[in-house]
Amino acid sequence: MSLPDQPRQPCLKTAECNYDYCYVETEDPAEKKVGAKDLVKKLGFLDRFLALWIVLAMIVGVLIGVYVPGVQPAFATVEFSSVSVPIAIGLLVMMYPVLCKLEYEQLPKIFLKREIWVQLALSFALNWIVGPILMTGLAWATLFDLEGYRTGVIMVGMARCIAMVLIWNDIAMGNPDYCAILMVFNSVLQIALYSPLCVLFINIVPTWFGGHVDAEIQLEMWPVVQSVLIYLGIPLAAGFLTRILLVRLVNKHWYQTKFLPRIGPFALIGLLYTIVVMFANQGHHIVTNIGSVFRVMVPMLCYFIIMFFGTLMVCRLMGFPYAQAVTQSFTAGSNNFELAIAVAVGVYGINSDQALAATIGPLIEVPVLLILSYLSLWLRKKLTWKKVETTEVA
């Protein structure tokens, strides 16, 4: 075929323009645009109406806590030290399918990448410097006249998330391997730093500005260690052993295509069960103190939004790919309210203002982070993100 007389500028090859210098468009399947209807059709029954199920679980939990007599005493009889056994079971069921998806055999290679060390350094700064300072500032700014609630909010701000962040990260299509690494990293630091930071920001920092010191707070390290081992250690060990054993005994293809799809729905079932149990356990306190609940909601709502979007924008400015940026954002913007509730109950008692403030954490965090999960998927398409590039440590 002869070439036309106009200058030979590269152009897309079509049926009408089919010359030697024309190029063929190549499309990356991962970047292929999928319509909203197509995405909804691919979702399972639980995933498709997840927001509805979570709202219903919260309502059912509160109604059980208010109208079923003896709920709290019943939960108190099934505790291991300060750890609620029903909640521990729910978190195990919730986290196990997600942790089974992790490619543990690839973790050594991930640690050879320079990016993971940058991620760990950023996570440390966000979770153990920025987060505690921000939550303490918001608590004092909005709850200056409610000391008990203020202390409970600060205790929530010191506890970094080690459970539900897996679910939010999975919904938002974050990086599961990075999420697991950051979660374990912050859990180890939590053992060492949670108690000292609570004492620092509740007892010491306020005195710098003429604030009141809470003489009651005396935290020990063992309750924190116990909480991390139960809420994270058990499901992490179970997921690791399941993947290693089944891949070796059967094969990886069967594991990926048969086993994981069958256990996948249990993650959301465990999430809904955990929400019902937590809200049933504290539903009566929430309803009878509804005015204080709305007061405590303010600093927590501000915290989740500021930490999430602030981290997301910082990661984007630093050139992180979407999957890593959203993982870092959910890790920084969520909290371990199970630990905060357990410690607040152990130090101040189940009926204390501090315990109620810690209980309000999931009341705000669950719906807010669910909304942020879906909003993240929208931002993934609307904003320009850096492509995945890896650099190995020399």
Side-chain angles (χ1 to χ4, degrees):
M1 182 180 292
S2 60
L3 299 180
D5 296 332
Q6 67 263 26
R8 302 179 184 181
Q9 298 293 332
C11 60
L12 180 65
K13 180 174 288 189
T14 63
E16 293 77 19
C17 184
N18 188 19
Y19 298 101
D20 295 337
Y21 57 82
C22 298
Y23 65 89
V24 179
E25 182 180 33
T26 58
E27 183 177 50
D28 185 354
E31 298 296 327
K32 185 178 179 180
K33 294 184 178 180
V34 182
K37 293 183 179 179
D38 296 325
L39 287 174
V40 172
K41 290 179 181 179
K42 291 181 180 180
L43 295 176
F45 181 71
L46 280 175
D47 301 272
R48 191 176 303 181
F49 303 103
L50 180 59
L52 174 62
W53 305 141
I54 287 180
V55 171
L56 289 177
M58 293 168 63
I59 294 174
V60 169
V62 171
L63 291 177
I64 291 174
V66 173
Y67 293 106
V68 177
V71 171
Q72 282 191 340
F75 280 125
T77 61
V78 283
E79 287 189 353
F80 175 73
S81 184
S82 60
V83 176
S84 169
V85 174
I87 291 179
I89 292 173
L91 292 176
L92 173 60
V93 175
M94 179 188 76
M95 297 171 67
Y96 174 70
V98 181
L99 291 172
C100 282
K101 294 180 182 180
L102 301 183
E103 297 184 357
Y104 296 93
E105 63 275 13
Q106 298 297 323
L107 293 183
K109 296 181 180 179
I110 293 177
F111 279 102
L112 292 177
K113 300 174 182 177
R114 175 181 174 275
E115 288 78 4
I116 188 59
W117 299 104
V118 175
Q119 293 278 355
L120 291 176
L122 179 61
S123 182
F124 177 84
L126 291 170
N127 284 281
W128 301 106
I129 300 176
V130 177
I133 293 175
L134 176 62
M135 184 66 95
T136 302
L138 290 171
W140 273 93
T142 57
L143 302 171
F144 54 88
D145 58 334
L146 298 174
E147 180 183 343
Y149 294 113
R150 184 177 67 240
T151 298
V153 169
I154 294 174
M155 294 178 75
V156 171
M158 302 302 121
R160 314 319 303 166
C161 189
I162 63 173
M164 289 190 179
V165 65
L166 287 171
I167 300 295
W168 313 133
N169 185 70
D170 193 49
I171 294 173
M173 299 178 66
N175 188 308
D177 295 322
Y178 275 63
C179 185
I181 292 172
L182 294 180
M183 186 176 65
V184 173
F185 172 72
N186 286 308
S187 298
V188 173
L189 290 175
Q190 191 159 245
I191 292 173
L193 297 179
Y194 181 74
S195 297
L197 283 178
C198 281
V199 174
L200 173 65
F201 284 97
I202 294 173
N203 275 0
I204 299 176
V205 171
T207 62
W208 300 347
F209 307 97
H212 175 70
V213 173
D214 186 353
E216 290 186 38
I217 186 165
Q218 296 178 355
L219 300 178
E220 298 179 358
M221 185 178 294
W222 171 240
V224 184
V225 176
Q226 185 176 250
S227 176
V228 170
L229 290 177
I230 292 175
Y231 291 139
L232 175 62
I234 294 176
L236 185 62
F240 173 78
L241 291 175
T242 299
R243 182 177 184 89
I244 298 300
L245 292 177
L246 290 184
V247 169
R248 290 185 179 182
L249 292 176
V250 189
N251 57 67
K252 188 173 183 179
H253 178 73
W254 174 88
Y255 184 85
Q256 297 284 124
T257 59
K258 301 294 183 181
F259 179 75
L260 290 182
R262 290 193 176 186
I263 67 169
F266 285 97
L268 298 183
I269 293 173
L271 171 65
L272 298 176
Y273 163 82
T274 304
I275 292 172
V276 171
V277 171
M278 286 191 302
F279 281 81
N281 194 25
Q282 299 294 334
H284 179 73
H285 292 305
I286 293 173
V287 173
T288 55
N289 297 274
I290 193 66
S292 300
V293 167
F294 282 106
R295 284 285 303 274
V296 174
M297 286 173 62
V298 175
M300 290 191 177
L301 182 62
C302 294
Y303 174 85
F304 295 138
I305 294 176
I306 293 172
M307 284 298 292
F308 180 84
F309 284 108
T311 302
L312 192 66
M313 292 300 103
V314 167
C315 290
R316 186 167 178 266
L317 290 174
M318 293 178 67
F320 290 175
Y322 167 82
Q324 294 180 14
V326 78
T327 295
Q328 191 73 254
S329 300
F330 278 115
T331 304
S334 53
N335 296 95
N336 183 359
F337 45 79
E338 305 91 358
L339 173 62
I341 293 172
V343 174
V345 170
V347 175
Y348 298 101
I350 187 67
N351 297 315
S352 65
D353 292 342
Q354 292 86 347
L356 177 60
T359 302
I360 297 171
L363 178 67
I364 308 303
E365 179 171 328
V366 170
V368 168
L369 291 186
L370 177 64
I371 293 172
L372 292 178
S373 299
Y374 292 124
L375 184 58
S376 298
L377 293 174
W378 181 77
L379 292 174
R380 178 173 177 261
K381 296 294 184 181
K382 291 297 181 180
L383 300 179
T384 302
W385 300 91
K386 182 182 178 182
K387 302 297 182 182
V388 178
E389 296 179 5
T390 59
T391 305
E392 292 191 358
V393 178

